Amino acid sequence: MMKLRALIFDVDGTLAETEELHRISFNATFAEVGLDWEWDRAMYRDLLAVTGGKERIRYYIDSFDQSVDLAPERIRQIHERKTAIYTTRMAEGALAPRPGILRLIHEAREAGVKCAIATTTSRPNIDALLQSAFAPDAVSWFDAIAAGDEVARKKPAPDVYTLALERLGLAPEECLAIEDSRNGLESARAAGLDCIITVSPYTDGQDFSAALQIVDHLGDHETPNAAVEGGMVTLAMLETMRR
């Protein structure tokens, strides 16, 4: 087994519980542009099986409201407005890191283990989240960032993880992915990465049988995970989990 040299994090549902804010921002955008759509939590949970915001809108039209005919350019404009609403609300303090995320990132960096991001969300969303919910300089904590708007295929395709590995200059066997969804797990595994799952409210109940470990959250001193020895998933634990 090669030494663990990098942790690669998903964003939405993994770094922070972002999905509810995404849902609220979609609905605010629909109202603003005159669409009578209201995505409730049950609907949005189902829609999350489709990765990518623009793709989600297209899928909703095709599956639930074929009376609406939106050109790809109009869908892109609507999604850009939704991103603007999302980033504004996030900057106002609507989100915080999930338990244990900050602790593990700092632990990894102190140990010389690189941190990276591989996500289907766009780069503006990533930067806004890191700067508002983590720290003004948090973008610099990550040695590589691979965003969904930089690859041809979104998760569960491996493209975004392959891009992150290329930017890190590391082999899959030297890295570990941290995800919250089946699509993310399948993406990481397709790129050759082992993966642990931190379940989120929008992904609980999905099939995570291919994961190394499934936990509710990583745990920290303020919010220990009672199901984990010592209350926290540490870097040393991750090393022992790897195949």
Side-chain angles (χ1 to χ4, degrees), residues 37-79:
W37 300 343
E38 179 74 23
W39 291 355
D40 62 19
R41 291 183 181 182
M43 171 62 76
Y44 196 61
R45 181 185 173 100
D46 291 341
L47 290 173
L48 285 174
V50 179
T51 51
K54 294 183 290 293
E55 294 82 355
R56 212 164 286 146
I57 294 171
R58 179 78 264 167
Y59 175 82
Y60 182 80
I61 292 170
D62 293 342
S63 301
F64 299 101
D65 193 355
Q66 295 181 19
S67 67
V68 175
D69 183 18
L70 296 179
E73 177 62 18
R74 183 55 177 155
I75 290 176
R76 184 190 64 79
Q77 292 170 350
I78 291 170
H79 187 257

Side-chain angles (χ1 to χ4, degrees), residues 21-33:
L21 184 57
H22 279 296
R23 184 185 72 85
I24 291 168
S25 300
F26 271 117
N27 287 335
T29 304
F30 299 151
E32 187 177 287
V33 301

Side-chain angles (χ1 to χ4, degrees), residues 18-143:
T18 58
E19 298 297 3
E20 182 63 5
L21 184 57
H22 279 296
R23 184 185 72 85
I24 291 168
S25 300
F26 271 117
N27 287 335
T29 304
F30 299 151
E32 187 177 287
V33 301
L35 290 167
D36 61 350
W37 300 343
E38 179 74 23
W39 291 355
D40 62 19
R41 291 183 181 182
M43 171 62 76
Y44 196 61
R45 181 185 173 100
D46 291 341
L47 290 173
L48 285 174
V50 179
T51 51
K54 294 183 290 293
E55 294 82 355
R56 212 164 286 146
I57 294 171
R58 179 78 264 167
Y59 175 82
Y60 182 80
I61 292 170
D62 293 342
S63 301
F64 299 101
D65 193 355
Q66 295 181 19
S67 67
V68 175
D69 183 18
L70 296 179
E73 177 62 18
R74 183 55 177 155
I75 290 176
R76 184 190 64 79
Q77 292 170 350
I78 291 170
H79 187 257
E80 284 183 350
R81 178 56 185 152
K82 173 261 169 183
T83 298
I85 291 173
Y86 173 84
T87 54
T88 297
R89 295 188 180 193
M90 187 164 35
E92 294 170 349
L95 294 172
R98 289 193 69 186
I101 286 290
L102 279 174
R103 174 193 54 77
L104 183 60
I105 289 172
H106 291 322
E107 183 181 349
R109 296 180 71 225
E110 289 171 5
V113 174
K114 295 180 178 181
C115 292
I117 283 173
T119 177
T120 58
T121 199
S122 63
R123 184 59 191 259
N125 281 349
I126 300 167
D127 292 349
L129 173 65
L130 294 176
Q131 292 164 2
S132 64
F134 285 67
D137 66 339
V139 173
S140 68
W141 300 352
F142 295 89
D143 298 271

Side-chain angles (χ1 to χ4, degrees), residues 146-209:
D149 50 5
E150 298 181 293
V151 293
R153 301 177 300 166
K154 293 185 169 64
K155 299 174 184 178
D159 300 32
V160 75
Y161 274 104
T162 300
L163 180 59
L165 290 169
E166 289 174 358
R167 289 177 174 172
L168 285 168
L170 297 174
E173 297 80 11
E174 298 176 287
C175 306
L176 180 70
I178 301 177
E179 278 279 356
D180 75 301
S181 71
R182 180 187 173 102
N183 278 335
L185 171 61
E186 290 182 355
S187 175
R189 296 296 296 135
L193 287 148
D194 282 331
C195 181
I196 71 163
I197 293 291
T198 56
V199 180
S200 78
Y202 278 106
T203 64
D204 63 308
Q206 294 182 1
D207 179 5
F208 297 129
S209 56

